[in-house]
Amino acid sequence: MFLVTGATGNIGSALLKELRASGAGPLRGLTRDAERAGFPAGVEAVEGDFARVDTLKPALDGVRALFLPSRMGPDADILGLARQAGVEHVVLVSSITVQTHPHLGPAEENLAVERLLKDSGMAWTILRPTQFASNALWWADAIRTREPVRLPYADVGLPAVHPADIAAVARVALTEPEHRGRTYALTGPERVTARQQVEAIAAALGREVPVAEISREEAQRDMAAFLGEEAASAVLDLMGGDVNDELLAVRDTVERVTGRPARPFRQWAAENADAFR
């Protein structure tokens, strides 16, 4: 039995489709609302809430392989429950920032979760993706209302990764035992600046999308309102304020693991154009 948690999210929903198409199974997806989950045919929907760990027990019953995004709840308790339930292998989505900024708030927390998993006695595979292509959804409201997209570091290029590529690597890791004990850094096929991302979305929409370059201070004020000062500062560092060669590096991990090239940002933009209309 495979259990995909975060199963209605960008990665989890794509992973269920990958596993279903590959013939892996039986499959189970964790959701807060089974009736609205919309999982593929043949996937069992089980309700549970990361914030209430006891609710995960039915979902873990009989599970041998678990897909788990980091820091969705009390990770130590979740991993302990998985071990008690007899889970043999966990594929964990962490962050590439743990190797680039190991003492930077969320990065340090992700690294702590990786250590918990490695010490759990279960087999593990760790995925460390860079910036998600889907982070562009932050701009959706502005683009829909035809307001300028406010961009700090508009011309810093990062190798944003398509969530479906993370899912493709996760599927291989869950179903092929040689990937146990491996840590994979995942990126897209090329660096793409924030300005280029907006241009790709504009091309998918068939209209111009204005851009307003802003200072870090302006961006800090905008982001701190919903992230808090410390988290906003950390995010801005990773967007361009404190990037280094590790964050900028383009890796071929997706193609090496899956046999398929990583998807470019323009493909994500075309697939998700409706979110910006």
Side-chain angles (χ1 to χ4, degrees):
M1 173 71 74
F2 296 87
L3 174 62
V4 175
T5 64
T8 58
N10 290 324
I11 304 172
S13 58
L15 175 55
L16 283 177
K17 292 175 183 176
E18 284 264 348
L19 288 166
R20 184 66 176 153
S22 72
L27 303 178
R28 184 179 290 164
L30 182 71
T31 176
R32 290 181 180 176
D33 188 340
E35 290 186 1
R36 299 176 61 186
F39 293 156
V43 176
E44 178 189 0
V46 178
E47 293 185 350
D49 188 340
F50 282 116
R52 297 161 52 223
V53 176
D54 283 350
T55 68
L56 304 180
K57 289 181 179 179
L60 287 164
D61 185 36
V63 169
R64 293 295 173 265
L66 169 66
F67 172 79
L68 180 68
S70 177
R71 299 172 54 236
M72 296 290 287
D75 293 286
D77 293 339
I78 293 167
L79 290 171
L81 195 64
R83 184 181 62 250
Q84 292 170 19
V87 172
E88 298 171 358
H89 179 212
V90 178
V91 174
L92 178 77
V93 177
S94 181
S95 170
I96 208 167
T97 57
V98 301
Q99 66 196 45
T100 58
H101 295 80
H103 305 296
L104 181 62
E108 189 171 12
E109 293 170 20
N110 280 322
L111 187 58
V113 180
E114 291 185 12
R115 291 184 183 125
L116 283 172
L117 176 56
K118 290 179 179 180
D119 293 341
S120 70
M122 295 179 288
W124 53 268
T125 307
I126 293 169
L127 309 184
R128 291 177 173 175
T130 186
Q131 182 189 70
F132 290 13
S134 52
N135 287 356
L137 291 169
W138 291 348
W139 308 324
D141 286 345
I143 293 174
R144 281 194 297 265
T145 56
R146 298 182 180 249
E147 296 292 322
V149 178
R150 292 164 57 82
L151 298 178
Y153 309 117
D155 297 305
V156 173
L158 297 172
V161 62
H162 196 306
D165 284 330
I166 305 171
V169 173
R171 189 267 304 167
V172 174
L174 284 166
T175 57
E176 299 179 8
E178 62 266 30
H179 300 283
R180 296 185 179 193
R182 302 286 186 90
T183 299
Y184 291 125
L186 307 178
T187 74
E190 60 192 359
R191 295 181 193 172
V192 56
T193 68
R195 191 188 306 277
Q196 289 169 332
Q197 291 181 37
V198 173
E199 290 170 353
I201 294 167
L205 295 174
R207 65 175 173 85
E208 291 188 5
V209 175
V211 166
E213 293 188 61
I214 62 174
S215 68
R216 179 182 177 119
E217 290 71 27
E218 291 175 283
Q220 179 84 21
R221 286 195 296 271
D222 289 349
M223 298 176 75
F226 57 93
L227 291 179
E229 290 289 344
E230 184 177 356
S233 182
V235 168
L236 286 165
D237 279 346
L238 300 175
M239 289 174 65
D242 191 25
V243 293
N244 56 32
D245 289 344
E246 285 293 323
L247 270 179
L248 295 171
V250 175
R251 295 171 170 84
D252 65 351
T253 317
V254 170
E255 185 167 11
R256 284 192 292 107
V257 173
T258 69
R260 299 179 300 195
R263 299 163 173 89
F265 181 85
R266 63 181 177 275
Q267 180 174 341
W268 181 90
E271 293 168 352
N272 293 274
D274 285 350
F276 300 93
R277 289 195 169 100

